[in-house]
Amino acid sequence: MKQAAKDLYDLLRKDADVLASVGKPVVVNDKPRAVLTAFTPKNRESYLLALEHILHSLLYIASHLSKHLRYIGIPLNQDGYGQAAAYKNISFPAVQRVVYALHLFQFGGRPFLGIIPGIYDRTKQVGQVTRIEASRPALDWLTQKGLILPDHPNTPEQIYAPVPVHLRLKPTG
C-alpha cells in the first residue's frame, strides 16, 4: 500500500489537470471549495500519510462490495483534526489537498475520486460530513496493484462464505 501511495502521489504531482488548478478553487457540484496549492517536496511525508489513510479506507470498502459499502466519510474542515480530534496524527491541509487533487485527477476519463460535499442544516444544527468514493477506473487501478482482496482484512482461512469477486481485470492487449 505504501508503494501505491507513492505511485499515486507521483501521478498527482505531475498531472496536467492538477497542475493547471493550482492557485484556483476546486469546484465540486458547481460550488467553489478550497483553493488547491502545489505539492511541495517539503510536505511529501504528510501527503503520503494522507494518501495511505485514504487508500486504506477505499481498499476496505472495495473489498466489501457485497455489503453495500460505498463511501468514506472524511472531514474537509479543520474540526476533525488537531490534538483533541479523531485524526490528530494526520495533517488537515494534506488531507484536503489530496482529496481535491484526486477529484481533479482524471483517471480513465473520470475523476479518481467522486466527492459528495457535506451539508449543515442550521435549523436542526446537524451536519453531515463530506463523503468520497473511488471511481471504477480507480478501483481497476487498485485491483491491478493487487490491493483489493475479497473480504479484507480477513485471511483466506477466516473467510467462511467467500465474497463473490465483483471487480474483473480486462485482459492486457
Side-chain angles (χ1 to χ4, degrees):
M1 185 169 57
K2 285 187 182 293
Q3 186 58 49
K6 288 177 184 177
D7 293 346
L8 192 53
Y9 175 76
D10 289 337
L11 289 171
L12 285 177
R13 254 183 352 101
K14 298 171 186 173
D15 184 65
D17 294 325
V18 174
L19 290 173
S21 299
V22 169
K24 300 174 187 168
V26 177
V27 177
V28 179
N29 292 353
D30 300 324
K31 185 176 177 185
R33 304 292 171 173
V35 173
L36 188 67
T37 57
F39 288 94
T40 59
K42 178 178 108 176
N43 296 325
R44 183 175 189 267
E45 292 306 314
S46 63
Y47 295 133
L48 288 175
L49 182 63
L51 266 171
E52 285 178 34
H53 279 81
I54 290 168
L55 284 177
H56 185 268
S57 298
L58 290 174
L59 295 172
Y60 181 83
I61 287 178
S63 297
H64 292 86
L65 288 177
S66 66
K67 296 181 181 171
H68 306 292
L69 299 174
R70 215 174 136 181
Y71 303 107
I72 299 167
I74 188 165
L76 290 180
N77 59 23
Q78 286 192 314
D79 295 343
Y81 304 86
Q83 291 304 318
Y87 305 108
K88 65 182 175 186
N89 297 327
I90 306 172
S91 164
F92 160 69
V95 170
Q96 189 182 51
R97 285 180 192 127
V98 165
V99 167
Y100 286 133
L102 287 171
H103 179 68
L104 292 170
F105 179 49
Q106 294 291 312
F107 199 78
R110 293 181 56 197
F112 194 90
L113 279 186
I115 298 176
I116 300 167
I119 56 170
Y120 184 75
D121 187 341
R122 293 173 200 248
T123 57
K124 296 178 184 174
Q125 294 191 357
V126 175
Q128 188 176 39
V129 73
T130 299
R131 292 167 290 158
I132 60 174
E133 78 174 313
S135 65
R136 178 63 66 185
L139 292 173
D140 289 343
W141 184 80
L142 294 167
T143 303
Q144 289 170 359
K145 293 282 185 185
L147 297 172
I148 296 178
L149 308 169
D151 212 22
H152 168 78
N154 295 327
T155 63
E157 295 81 28
Q158 294 171 315
I159 301 172
Y160 300 106
V163 176
V165 178
H166 296 281
L167 300 175
R168 299 276 187 242
L169 291 175
K170 293 181 181 177
T172 56

